[in-house]
Amino acid sequence: MTDANQQMVEQYRNNFLREVEDNVEEGEWVKMCMQCGVCSGSCPFGPHWEHPPQEIFMMIRAGKRDEVLQSDSMWMCTSCYNCIVRCPRELPITHIMHGLAHYAKRLGIAPKNQPTQKFAQLFWNNLTKTGRVNELKLGLALYFMNGIGEGIKTSLKMQKIGLGMLMTKRLTPMELIGGHKCKDAKGLQAILKKAEELEAARIPATGK
Amino acid sequence: MAKKSYSFYPGCSSQKAASASNYMVSVNSMCETLDIELNEIPDWNCCSASIGYAGGGELPRLALSARNMAISEQANPGQDIVATCAACWLATKEAQERLHDDDTLMTETNEALAQAGLKLEASQNVRHMVEVLIEDFGYDELGKHVKKPLDGIKIAGYVGCQTNRPFGIDGESYENPKYLDKLVETMGAEPVENYDQKVSCCGGALAFSEPEKSQALIKDIIESAYDGGADMIVTPCPVCQMNVEVYQDHINQKYKTNFKMPVVYYSTLMSVAYGGSGKDAGLDGQIIKAKQLEELASK
Ligand code: SF4
Ligand code: SF4
């Protein structure tokens, strides 16, 4: 268990709802859920959610901390916003899912081999480096995120798509050596660093 | 109509030789006909779409969009911000609203922006290109410029998620928005009636990390277009476009289907209907060729 996680467990004892309200993006909305179940029928990856959103909200109130934060479920969210426009209580469900995923990741207890967890981190690393996404490097990092063997298999499978994109000039090998970027990437990084510091000061779990 | 000017946020996928570069080509051609001036936000950065949350907390993610908006206020004052990518539009509009409504977040965001000498008021409207077309021009005006009606082409209007929810296009329902069908009609083509996958999800960014699960969704989107007799699919979103076009071979292998359905942008249709060449319309960017549009464009 990471230090940050241990610290949160001690600080909030058995009040997981409070912990979510204090630390998770839009977490203060969780108590408004009336358990109607509409959101749970809305997720495109529905059958693959071990705990659909309604259940997650119930589990948060029941204090099932580890079951929620270590779950693979929030990482199944495709950001389709079906739930948000349907929820009778207008909970920002999409953002709570992203918030829970981020919080679990910060505490170091998100499922390690969850593919979206890895991809979302790669995406962030990729964009914060130069200020803009480098699609080629992101793609390569993605194919190789499960190791060299898997990566070569995936790359072969994706080869035809990559070739199609190259032929239609929707991908360029130049991205490997330079590629698109923000001129003031330094300024952007300074902004992000400050934002991280401010957020860490307001939200106790820094988990670094 | 007089020239209209907007502060433009192109987004990563629209850059030269990136996955939606062909979208940008057709948008430029469409804008030329409509006398729309797009003033690119200088040195804009990625918005982190809907997938930056593993690494980025709420404030850092808001700060990304805040930087773009702050530069826009400075460089293009008094103009609405317009995005062509659904995810860019959504991320920026959400940030605009949240910062506008939350004083703590706004103060902290400005503290962060000050590191690069920037300041944000979050006063500019953030709009999708489709909103501009429909609200600032309207179907009648858009129809006036048609030189080559897309006669005899049947098109499934795939709206998808993020141009539709949570904000949507003014006056449209979430379950059955009609604007894409109306645009198709305005360009002289025939929309597929009751296309039942119109607002379904293609998996979005998770098409990368969860290919099997996403391709199951994409299969339904294409199948339903075939069922409706569609010659092609049209979309307002670069993520939808790419997901629905490029995995058709994989889907054919796995599901023993025979898909070969072109997927184009609304701006592709408009560019061709407005008399643009295949190159103007970005048709050379189609991995699955849109033959009927090519023929019409070369006439
Ligand atoms: S739709 Fe809203 S109120 Fe209903 S279960 Fe989901 S979050 Fe709760
Ligand atoms: S946005 Fe996420 S939580 Fe909401 S319906 Fe879509 S997949 Fe489910």
Side-chain angles (χ1 to χ4, degrees):
Chain A
M1 201 180 264
T2 63
D3 291 350
N5 188 40
Q6 188 58 40
Q7 195 191 324
M8 286 298 119
V9 170
E10 275 161 26
Q11 186 179 332
Y12 288 96
R13 301 283 160 190
N14 288 322
N15 201 339
F16 184 40
L17 178 61
R18 266 285 307 285
E19 183 181 347
V20 168
E21 288 172 342
D22 289 355
N23 297 286
V24 173
E25 180 173 348
E26 306 281 12
E28 66 279 10
W29 280 89
V30 171
K31 61 175 174 297
M32 298 299 293
C33 169
M34 63 182 203
Q35 290 292 306
C36 72
V38 166
C39 55
S40 293
S42 303
C43 301
F45 287 174
H48 306 289
W49 287 66
E50 191 188 354
H51 308 296
Q54 168 216 357
E55 205 172 297
I56 288 183
F57 297 142
M58 185 181 68
M59 290 163 74
I60 292 174
R61 286 159 115 166
K64 296 196 192 284
R65 185 178 188 278
D66 290 352
E67 289 92 325
V68 169
L69 292 179
Q70 292 172 15
S71 160
D72 157 87
S73 295
M74 304 81 82
W75 301 97
M76 292 289 153
C77 174
T78 63
S79 307
C80 72
Y81 288 74
N82 270 324
C83 51
I84 288 200
V85 300
R86 292 179 187 159
C87 172
R89 288 282 173 88
E90 298 181 359
L91 268 78
I93 302 163
T94 317
H95 305 104
I96 306 173
M97 292 304 123
H98 296 175
L100 284 167
H102 176 75
Y103 186 57
K105 179 94 183 159
R106 255 188 193 214
L107 296 179
I109 55 174
K112 291 273 171 306
N113 287 317
Q114 214 291 328
T116 300
Q117 183 266 112
K118 287 192 187 174
F119 174 63
Q121 183 69 48
L122 286 174
F123 190 94
W124 182 257
N125 299 348
N126 187 304
L127 84 91
T128 49
K129 210 165 192 172
T130 62
R132 294 187 188 175
V133 163
N134 180 318
E135 290 178 335
L136 183 61
K137 280 189 196 159
L138 178 65
L140 289 175
L142 170 71
Y143 304 149
F144 287 90
M145 75 184 181
N146 294 324
I148 294 281
E150 274 294 307
I152 291 173
K153 253 199 330 219
T154 320
S155 300
L156 283 176
K157 208 172 151 196
M158 295 299 289
Q159 199 179 34
K160 213 174 145 205
I161 292 182
L163 212 59
M165 302 285 283
L166 272 179
M167 306 267 287
T168 53
K169 302 200 176 58
R170 287 164 61 182
L171 187 68
T172 165
M174 294 309 282
E175 287 274 303
L176 258 192
I177 48 172
H180 299 294
K181 52 172 160 266
C182 265
K183 274 184 251 130
D184 190 23
K186 282 225 168 62
L188 176 68
Q189 282 157 359
I191 293 172
L192 290 174
K193 185 158 169 278
K194 187 72 183 175
E196 274 161 22
E197 281 166 22
L198 290 166
E199 192 164 78
R202 181 161 41 82
I203 301 174
T206 51
K208 280 275 159 77
Chain B
M1 274 187 143
K3 183 190 276 304
K4 288 188 166 46
S5 302
Y6 302 92
S7 181
F8 183 50
Y9 178 39
C12 299
S13 67
S14 73
Q15 297 174 101
K16 197 153 180 276
S19 59
S21 46
N22 54 330
Y23 185 13
M24 202 55 240
V25 168
S26 60
V27 164
N28 283 333
S29 152
M30 172 190 88
C31 286
E32 199 170 306
T33 304
L34 296 173
D35 204 11
I36 294 175
E37 179 183 69
L38 296 177
N39 302 307
E40 184 166 331
I41 298 174
D43 205 37
W44 55 267
N45 55 265
C46 174
C47 67
S48 91
S50 304
I51 195 70
Y53 56 81
E58 183 183 13
L59 192 63
R61 276 182 284 129
L62 288 172
L64 287 173
S65 294
R67 178 177 177 275
N68 290 329
M69 290 189 283
I71 299 176
S72 168
E73 284 171 9
Q74 224 173 56
N76 305 321
Q79 298 174 11
D80 288 349
I81 297 176
V82 171
T84 37
C85 169
C88 289
W89 173 57
L90 177 55
T92 312
K93 189 169 162 91
E94 276 188 336
Q96 198 267 352
E97 289 202 345
R98 218 180 291 183
L99 290 171
H100 205 266
D101 296 347
D102 188 320
D103 291 342
T104 311
L105 288 175
M106 187 66 166
T107 310
E108 291 185 353
T109 299
N110 266 316
E111 226 175 295
L113 288 176
Q115 298 292 313
L118 293 167
K119 190 182 171 331
L120 177 73
E121 285 177 19
S123 57
Q124 288 178 314
N125 280 330
V126 183
R127 306 170 71 197
H128 190 271
M129 179 60 86
V130 165
E131 289 184 291
V132 167
L133 294 179
I134 293 165
E135 292 164 7
D136 298 1
F137 288 84
Y139 301 103
D140 286 348
E141 177 63 29
L142 297 174
K144 279 186 194 153
H145 302 271
V146 173
K147 290 200 187 104
K148 292 182 186 166
L150 311 179
D151 275 335
I153 306 180
K154 199 162 179 186
I155 306 177
Y158 174 49
V159 175
C161 298
Q162 296 194 344
T163 45
N164 186 38
R165 298 178 297 264
F167 298 113
I169 305 298
D170 200 28
E172 296 274 12
S173 77
Y174 295 127
E175 310 297 334
N176 189 15
K178 300 270 207 257
Y179 71 85
L180 213 44
D181 294 342
K182 285 191 211 153
L183 270 180
V184 164
E185 239 163 17
T186 306
M187 295 305 123
E190 185 191 348
V192 169
E193 293 279 337
N194 306 319
Y195 174 42
D196 70 0
Q197 295 287 316
K198 187 187 259 183
V199 294
S200 302
C201 179
C202 67
L206 273 64
F208 289 105
S209 51
E210 296 278 9
E212 304 286 321
K213 297 183 183 76
S214 300
Q215 285 172 24
L217 304 178
I218 296 166
K219 173 184 163 274
D220 291 344
I221 292 165
I222 301 170
E223 202 156 57
S224 158
Y226 273 113
D227 289 347
D231 298 310
M232 62 188 71
I233 292 175
V234 63
T235 153
C237 168
V239 184
C240 294
Q241 195 284 333
M242 164 142 170
N243 283 350
V244 179
E245 184 185 32
V246 308
Y247 299 112
Q248 292 190 29
D249 274 350
H250 289 191
I251 294 171
N252 286 338
Q253 254 174 34
K254 170 144 194 207
Y255 295 96
K256 311 275 171 266
T257 45
N258 244 326
F259 294 163
K260 207 176 177 199
M261 175 72 76
V263 187
V264 302
Y265 296 103
Y266 61 91
S267 47
T268 321
L269 300 180
M270 292 174 70
S271 172
V272 173
Y274 288 172
S277 68
K279 199 151 183 273
D280 295 337
L283 289 175
D284 50 354
Q286 296 295 130
I287 290 175
I288 299 177
K289 299 293 172 204
K291 295 230 171 63
Q292 289 150 299
L293 294 179
E294 279 178 5
E295 277 166 27
L296 196 61
S298 65
K299 262 186 206 161

